[in-house]
Amino acid sequence: MSSRLWLWLLLAVLFGAFLLNLNAWGVLESSEARYAEIGREMLTGGDWLHPRLLGIQHFHKPPLTYWLTAAGLGLFGGTAGAVRLLPVLAVLAQVGLVYAVGLLVFARDRRRALAAAVVYGTLPVVLISALNVTTDAYLATLELLAAYAFLRYHCTPAGRPALRWLYLGWVALGLGFLTKGPVAVVLPVMVLISLHLTKDAPRRPWSGHHLLAGLLFALVGLSWYLALVAENREFIDYFLFKHTVERFANAATFNRAKPWWFYLVLAPLGALPWSAALLTELARTGWRRLGRRWQQVLLWWVLVPLLFFSLSKSKLLLYVLPIFPGVALLTVELLGRRTDAVLLRWYVGFMALFGLVLGGLCLMPLLGPGFGLNVRPATALWPAAGILLLLFTHMFWEEVRIAPRLLVLAVLFTVGLLAAAKPLLGQIEVQANGSRPVAERLKELGLQQRPVLVYNELLPSLAFAQRRLPVSLYDGNQALQRETQFEHDGRWHEHLINLQDAADTTALGPLLRRQPVVLSKGELPQSRRYLLRGLNQHEHLGPWWIYYAR
């Protein structure tokens, strides 16, 4: 088959593996639940300009992810699987784009381009981004699309076809701005810098089309920001400083402080085992023997973006997702320079690691109770099937060349890992910060229509599972210090009560008379036991204490 058919087969296999049991677990706190619930409230309320979280306006991110989440819920139903489907498709688009970029970087060598797509599609960090609803999967897709479009523009002969790629690149950047703001330019800018610093790289003179494309970018990327600024000029300071400068420079702003070396450790771990091969082969090859083109890829597609994100005070693993296309391309280039004898050693190492991971998952029913996890024995069947698949392929596939065997091995392990991990997540959901089991238990008890008071926790996953808003009781948890400065009236008090403000607690009386459910992570403090007046029953579910009246 041609490499393009192999690419479609790869995408089909990955899509099937992602789709299997995609709704096995509910949305998890904090990020995924937040995006899912905002999308649900947006779809329910019909306000596509002002995102709301638990009834209060929430402008921490531009709206594209919320729009897509709401679209997924509208098209595929109000389930956790529905909100994950579009991020899965976004990641599959990234795999296809890595293949397309590989065709340019590898000078139309389709086999190496396909290998880069396989490497990228089997990176653990990429799999995590597909199954975790955040801005990062969409942003990485748009950044990669913009980078590819600009590369195609420079590599296509002058004329109308080349201009289409120029405009596409700027539109993708605009959509990136609607996804996460200025950080959307990081990968495309790095790719263009590497292109212009590479000897004999194609050049394009500036023209009026660049100005028009820039205006198109502004129209797309700044539209939402300008609409809100037109409503309230305070948004200028809010967007420019609080959510750009302070997010980058102040670790305390959003409680995502990590040490400077965070990505130096987590990025290689998120790319195992390919990162082990890349780092080893980089050490063997050395800087000089990399060649000018690959020096630029390593420097501008991986190291400089990694340094940029490391300087930021706010760090999460998925923030560095844009560096991994460069990681995949470099891995294929360096492994492609090695003999079959070297590749065989990597093949054996990969097989051993994959077997250990799947074997560990097989033991989860036995090991789980030691970690407070109750895992059913049947769950071990999925990783066991993965091990058998790897063994049968190794024993009966008569392929002499090592490179195809290595790539197929990675794909089969990825399929086995996805099939094994999702039922496991469904069984440990409450320990993994999900509250769908709590909502299901309330339904079993016939309490699903009673008011739910959540003590000192922001819990959008419960709102998403119940499809209605709880009342959050603030008692010092910084996560509940909501930004209410843009609210036009006091209706937000219906969803957030400050227990430390006597004037604010007057709304509690009518709620307590309706025999609500009180939900607390851990036992309710003695000073707040008055909330349980008339609630004569309680039970535990994971870390949650559920108080109610029968």
Side-chain angles (χ1 to χ4, degrees):
M1 293 193 298
S2 70
S3 63
R4 189 167 295 178
L5 278 176
W6 279 114
L7 175 66
W8 283 110
L9 179 60
L10 170 67
L11 294 175
V13 169
L14 289 177
F15 180 65
F18 280 127
L19 198 60
L20 180 68
N21 285 327
L22 194 57
N23 194 45
W25 72 104
V27 296
L28 303 180
E29 301 289 346
S30 62
S31 295
E32 182 180 51
R34 189 168 61 250
Y35 288 108
E37 174 57 16
I38 292 173
R40 188 194 71 82
E41 292 182 42
M42 185 173 280
L43 181 65
T44 302
D47 185 349
W48 299 87
L49 192 62
H50 306 90
R52 291 184 177 273
L53 176 62
L54 299 184
I56 298 173
Q57 292 183 88
H58 188 85
F59 299 106
H60 287 195
K61 292 290 191 302
L64 186 62
T65 302
Y66 308 138
W67 292 343
L68 292 172
T69 303
L73 292 169
L75 291 171
F76 308 114
T79 66
V83 300
R84 294 186 183 116
L85 186 56
L86 290 181
V88 164
L89 295 177
V91 165
L92 294 179
Q94 292 169 36
V95 174
L97 285 166
V98 168
Y99 173 81
V101 171
L103 289 178
L104 299 177
V105 175
F106 292 117
R108 309 301 298 179
D109 187 333
R110 295 182 179 275
R111 289 178 300 174
R112 293 199 176 194
L114 178 62
V118 171
V119 171
Y120 185 80
T122 56
L123 295 174
V125 65
V126 174
L127 306 182
I128 292 170
S129 72
L131 297 177
N132 187 24
V133 183
T134 67
T135 59
D136 301 292
Y138 298 124
L139 179 66
T141 304
L142 292 166
E143 284 189 284
L144 193 51
L145 176 59
Y148 172 67
F150 290 140
L151 284 173
R152 279 297 300 267
Y153 168 68
H154 283 274
C155 296
T156 303
R160 186 170 295 176
L163 291 175
R164 292 172 184 166
W165 292 111
L166 175 67
Y167 284 104
L168 176 61
W170 281 102
V171 170
L173 273 187
L175 292 173
F177 256 69
L178 280 181
T179 305
K180 207 171 181 178
V183 74
V185 307
V186 172
L187 179 64
V189 167
M190 295 299 107
V191 169
L192 285 176
I193 290 174
S194 71
L195 178 69
H196 283 282
L197 292 179
T198 301
K199 187 178 180 181
D200 300 327
R203 299 287 189 270
R204 285 284 181 272
W206 286 85
S207 70
H209 288 285
H210 289 86
L211 176 60
L212 291 175
L215 291 174
L216 184 59
F217 156 77
L219 179 65
V220 173
L222 303 180
S223 54
W224 178 75
Y225 300 94
L226 294 175
L228 291 183
V229 168
E231 283 186 1
N232 188 338
R233 291 190 177 275
E234 291 183 16
F235 276 112
I236 296 176
D237 176 73
Y238 184 82
F239 288 134
L240 287 182
F241 295 100
K242 186 172 182 59
H243 281 276
T244 302
V245 177
E246 286 192 25
R247 183 182 288 271
F248 186 88
N250 186 358
T253 304
F254 295 99
N255 298 316
R256 289 172 180 171
K258 300 293 188 299
W260 64 267
W261 46 262
F262 178 77
Y263 290 129
L264 298 182
V265 175
L266 266 291
L269 288 177
L272 284 174
W274 296 110
S275 58
L278 173 61
L279 293 174
T280 302
E281 298 303 332
L282 273 174
R284 288 177 180 173
T285 302
W287 176 259
R288 290 187 178 181
R289 287 191 293 163
L290 264 182
R292 182 69 174 173
R293 170 181 293 180
W294 294 103
Q295 289 172 352
Q296 298 301 324
V297 171
L298 174 61
L299 183 62
W300 296 103
W301 296 32
V302 179
L303 296 181
V304 173
L306 194 62
L307 175 63
F308 170 82
F309 288 111
S310 294
L311 291 175
S312 172
K313 299 298 183 181
S314 179
K315 296 182 179 72
L316 290 176
L317 174 61
L318 293 183
Y319 288 178
V320 293
L321 196 58
I323 76 169
F324 290 101
V327 168
L329 294 167
L330 278 163
T331 302
V332 170
E333 169 62 22
L334 292 179
L335 288 179
R337 298 180 183 185
R338 300 305 176 197
T339 64
D340 269 5
V342 174
L343 293 181
L344 179 60
R345 290 198 291 270
W346 284 117
Y347 176 83
V348 172
F350 277 33
M351 176 69 84
L353 177 63
F354 294 161
L356 284 173
V357 171
L358 293 175
L361 290 175
C362 286
L363 295 176
M364 282 303 296
L366 295 176
L367 301 177
F371 299 95
L373 306 176
N374 185 21
V375 180
R376 292 189 292 269
T379 307
L381 294 176
W382 289 102
I387 292 174
L388 290 176
L389 183 61
L390 293 179
L391 289 175
F392 286 160
T393 304
H394 173 72
M395 294 168 59
F396 299 113
W397 184 30
E398 297 180 356
E399 171 60 58
V400 176
R401 295 169 301 163
I402 302 301
R405 296 178 71 93
L406 186 60
L407 295 171
V408 170
L409 179 72
V411 172
L412 293 179
F413 169 72
T414 298
V415 171
L417 181 64
L418 289 172
K422 287 183 279 188
L424 179 62
L425 275 171
Q427 293 174 56
I428 65 170
E429 178 182 341
V430 71
Q431 289 84 6
N433 255 356
S435 56
R436 187 169 71 174
V438 175
E440 292 171 348
R441 181 57 182 157
L442 294 181
K443 187 174 182 180
E444 290 172 2
L445 294 170
L447 305 173
Q448 68 272 23
Q449 296 305 320
R450 293 193 191 180
V452 177
L453 310 184
V454 181
Y455 173 74
N456 211 30
E457 295 287 340
L458 185 71
L459 203 59
S461 60
L462 181 65
F464 184 84
Q466 287 200 307
R467 302 185 186 182
R468 65 191 187 97
L469 303 184
V471 178
S472 302
L473 305 179
Y474 171 77
D475 199 17
N477 186 349
Q478 191 175 7
L480 282 171
Q481 291 182 345
R482 306 295 304 279
E483 298 172 330
T484 58
Q485 66 268 37
F486 300 115
E487 296 296 325
H488 302 299
D489 53 44
R491 286 185 297 175
W492 62 272
H493 286 285
E494 300 173 7
H495 310 296
L496 177 62
I497 296 175
N498 186 353
L499 297 182
Q500 299 179 352
D501 183 352
D504 208 24
T505 57
T506 56
L508 271 177
L511 283 171
L512 295 178
R513 285 192 290 272
R514 294 169 60 189
Q515 292 189 322
V517 174
V518 175
L519 194 62
S520 172
K521 185 172 271 190
E523 190 173 4
L524 198 69
Q526 191 65 37
S527 60
R528 302 303 181 190
R529 304 289 288 186
Y530 66 86
L531 296 170
L532 307 182
R533 192 176 301 125
L535 306 183
N536 54 8
Q537 302 288 326
H538 76 273
E539 57 184 74
H540 309 160
L541 186 56
W544 295 103
W545 286 53
I546 306 171
Y547 301 91
Y548 59 96
R550 295 301 296 263

